[in-house]
Amino acid sequence: MDRDQRLAAALADAMLAGKWAPKAARKRLGRTLGQQPKWLKRLVREVLTAYPRPPLDRPRELAAFVLRSAALERAHRKSGPLPRPVRRFSTPTSTVLRPFPTPVLDHAGALADLLDLDLDELELLADTALRARRAHDPRIAHYRYHWRMRPGGPRLIEAPKPRLLTVQRRILEEIIGLIPVHPAAHGFVPGRSAVTGAALHVGAGTVVNLDLEHFFAGITAGRVWGVLRAAGFPEPVAHLLTGLTTHATPVAVLSVMPDRPGEARNFRLRRSLGTPHLPQGAPTSPQLANLILYSLDRRLQAYADAAGLRYTRYADDLTFSGPQVRHPDSVVAAVTSMAAAEGFRVNDAKSRVRRHHQRQVVTGIVVNEWTNLARPEYDRLRAVLHDCRVNGPAAANRDGHDDFRAHLQGRVSWAGSLNPGRGAKLAAMFDRIVWD
């Protein structure tokens, strides 16, 4: 922060520190500077005209306004360097707008109390200065990292360490989880699931599937800040919450990224991960992503309604369906354009159009006639259950699952939620397994 920025911040704090009236404000500004230059009167008039009410939740915005004010610019031209502040007012912020039933967090202290942290630990975990990204000692980092290679390219899992994980879970449960998402979002939303989203597309003549590229990594800290401010949290609180829920991947981790030479997507992924973004692995990331995509969901829902289509989104999977979509390429082009306007990129390699005579899949669920498990997956699960019954669970556990019984039980339950008839057959096979 340079000299003029420090002066503007001090003047903004002084403006907010008392009665929002010309005479009282000039007196506080004079105490801040230790003098009463003539330009203070013009500055106060300019601020009160722009802000009829004190922006108690926006001290940074007010400081930026003061820095760019005509009064300060004119004082610079006439007097040269402006005086240094000799006193700073401490101005606790407060909540001005509260559109959702979120807790009232007027300042950093209130956030620290809610999260059961002291202010020093709160600032350490938020790491708004990105010290952990530059640290050479991995013990300083708040995340653990694991690269996974998939057919579509590398994916980085950034798992928060226990202390930050506890804090993020509380943020999800007591703060951001109380903000509603768009009805089209079915991923990571209580009462909705991949099944509820897929069910809306059952029996469609045409299903169009699209995928957003680098979903979590592509969502920046600035967008998180924006959605938190829109939810009414004062600037200092939104700043700390953004730090607690976003992360910039250390250079050492990016340097070992599995790569495929010449792939532009990998370059874009590395660039996104290197800037503060939503970490894939944090419990807060899915909800924040849903909130940030609200605007895109609204646009895509309006487009679907106008075109006579159904629209759902599960995380980064966008699905449109209708009786007969004559020009599906135009749907793909329209969605790609709207996504780009909202700051997202559609992964062209994953776009699919399926007619009714083809297997139509939504988030891994077949939807041609009813929700169903894909036949190859059903056959594989039957084969594993048969292997367990004939050769024993230990021999059948070829992938080395720590709790193989719970793993199989979950897969059987998932199949049953899609197709009760098939699920009953698989459950009967599971019940015949002899577990040690």
Side-chain angles (χ1 to χ4, degrees), residues 203-283:
T206 308
V207 173
V208 181
N209 305 104
L210 301 101
D211 179 86
L212 297 177
E213 185 178 280
H214 304 150
F215 184 55
F216 290 115
I219 296 177
T220 63
R223 304 192 76 162
V224 174
W225 155 270
V227 80
L228 292 171
R229 285 289 298 121
F233 297 107
E235 285 178 341
V237 175
H239 184 59
L240 289 167
L241 283 172
T242 300
L244 290 166
T245 55
T246 61
H247 176 59
T249 309
V251 176
V253 177
L254 295 177
S255 67
V256 296
M257 171 181 169
D259 208 350
R260 291 178 178 174
E263 288 201 0
R265 285 202 306 271
N266 287 355
F267 170 78
R268 291 194 294 268
L269 175 60
R270 184 180 286 108
R271 183 177 59 187
S272 296
L273 291 172
T275 56
H277 60 276
L278 289 181
Q280 185 164 353

Side-chain angles (χ1 to χ4, degrees), residues 330-348:
S330 66
V331 175
V332 174
V335 173
T336 300
S337 176
M338 284 184 275
E342 294 289 337
F344 296 95
R345 179 189 291 268
V346 170
N347 186 350
D348 295 332

Side-chain angles (χ1 to χ4, degrees), residues 246-320:
T246 61
H247 176 59
T249 309
V251 176
V253 177
L254 295 177
S255 67
V256 296
M257 171 181 169
D259 208 350
R260 291 178 178 174
E263 288 201 0
R265 285 202 306 271
N266 287 355
F267 170 78
R268 291 194 294 268
L269 175 60
R270 184 180 286 108
R271 183 177 59 187
S272 296
L273 291 172
T275 56
H277 60 276
L278 289 181
Q280 185 164 353
T284 47
S285 293
Q287 172 69 1
L288 284 169
N290 279 337
L291 295 174
I292 289 162
L293 263 77
Y294 192 99
S295 178
L296 177 60
D297 285 335
R298 185 172 55 185
R299 292 182 68 171
L300 295 181
Q301 185 66 68
Y303 168 74
D305 291 343
L309 303 175
R310 297 188 187 95
Y311 164 63
T312 62
R313 179 179 59 80
Y314 188 93
D316 55 353
D317 292 323
L318 314 177
T319 303
F320 296 82

Side-chain angles (χ1 to χ4, degrees), residues 4-157:
D4 286 351
Q5 289 174 324
R6 287 193 293 271
L7 172 62
L11 294 174
D13 286 344
M15 286 290 302
L16 294 170
K19 188 176 180 180
W20 199 249
K23 186 175 180 180
R26 286 199 304 272
K27 184 176 180 181
R28 292 193 300 275
L29 294 181
R31 291 169 65 188
T32 296
L33 298 179
Q35 54 182 289
Q36 281 279 353
K38 293 181 179 179
W39 54 265
L40 282 187
K41 185 175 182 179
R42 290 191 294 271
L43 175 62
V44 170
R45 184 169 59 248
E46 197 173 341
V47 169
L48 295 183
T49 300
Y51 294 92
R53 296 178 182 176
L56 293 171
D57 60 335
R58 293 166 285 161
R60 293 185 182 190
E61 179 186 308
L62 181 59
F65 179 86
V66 170
L67 183 64
R68 298 189 303 267
S69 65
L72 224 62
E73 184 180 347
R74 185 176 177 183
H76 252 307
R77 289 199 308 268
K78 285 193 170 185
S79 308
L82 298 176
R84 296 176 182 270
V86 297
R87 174 179 176 176
R88 287 294 299 263
F89 284 86
S90 177
T91 311
T93 55
S94 63
T95 302
V96 173
L97 176 70
R98 188 164 165 257
F100 307 111
T102 51
V104 176
L105 301 172
D106 287 332
H107 46 77
L111 178 62
D113 290 342
L114 179 67
L115 300 177
D116 196 22
L117 301 169
D118 59 42
L119 283 172
D120 288 341
E121 188 176 13
L122 175 62
E123 292 180 359
L124 177 68
L125 289 173
D127 191 25
T128 54
L130 303 182
R131 293 186 179 90
R133 185 175 191 269
R134 300 187 296 270
H136 297 289
D137 190 341
R139 292 175 297 181
I140 297 175
H142 300 310
Y143 291 83
R144 296 187 177 94
Y145 308 94
H146 176 64
W147 285 104
R148 290 181 180 174
M149 197 62 191
R150 307 170 301 144
R155 171 179 291 176
L156 178 62
I157 304 300

Side-chain angles (χ1 to χ4, degrees), residues 296-435:
L296 177 60
D297 285 335
R298 185 172 55 185
R299 292 182 68 171
L300 295 181
Q301 185 66 68
Y303 168 74
D305 291 343
L309 303 175
R310 297 188 187 95
Y311 164 63
T312 62
R313 179 179 59 80
Y314 188 93
D316 55 353
D317 292 323
L318 314 177
T319 303
F320 296 82
S321 68
Q324 283 296 335
V325 182
R326 293 185 179 181
H327 304 288
D329 290 346
S330 66
V331 175
V332 174
V335 173
T336 300
S337 176
M338 284 184 275
E342 294 289 337
F344 296 95
R345 179 189 291 268
V346 170
N347 186 350
D348 295 332
K350 291 188 176 182
S351 298
R352 300 188 309 273
V353 177
R354 294 291 183 268
R355 304 293 185 178
H356 194 263
H357 66 277
Q358 300 171 300
R359 189 174 71 180
Q360 299 170 327
V361 178
V362 177
T363 58
I365 301 169
V366 177
V367 296
N368 289 70
E369 302 295 341
W370 48 74
T371 57
N372 210 347
L373 200 64
R375 185 74 199 196
E377 188 175 349
Y378 173 71
D379 289 342
R380 284 194 297 269
L381 182 52
R382 280 192 64 192
V384 172
L385 293 171
H386 177 74
D387 194 9
C388 282
R389 187 169 64 85
V390 174
N391 300 312
N397 187 15
R398 291 179 172 80
D399 293 330
H401 295 284
D402 293 333
D403 191 341
F404 190 43
R405 182 172 186 171
H407 168 74
L408 278 184
Q409 198 166 23
R411 291 180 63 186
V412 169
S413 177
W414 168 248
S417 69
L418 301 177
N419 186 323
R422 280 186 173 181
K425 294 177 182 178
L426 295 172
M429 293 181 69
F430 179 86
D431 290 340
R432 290 196 292 270
I433 297 173
V434 178
W435 299 93

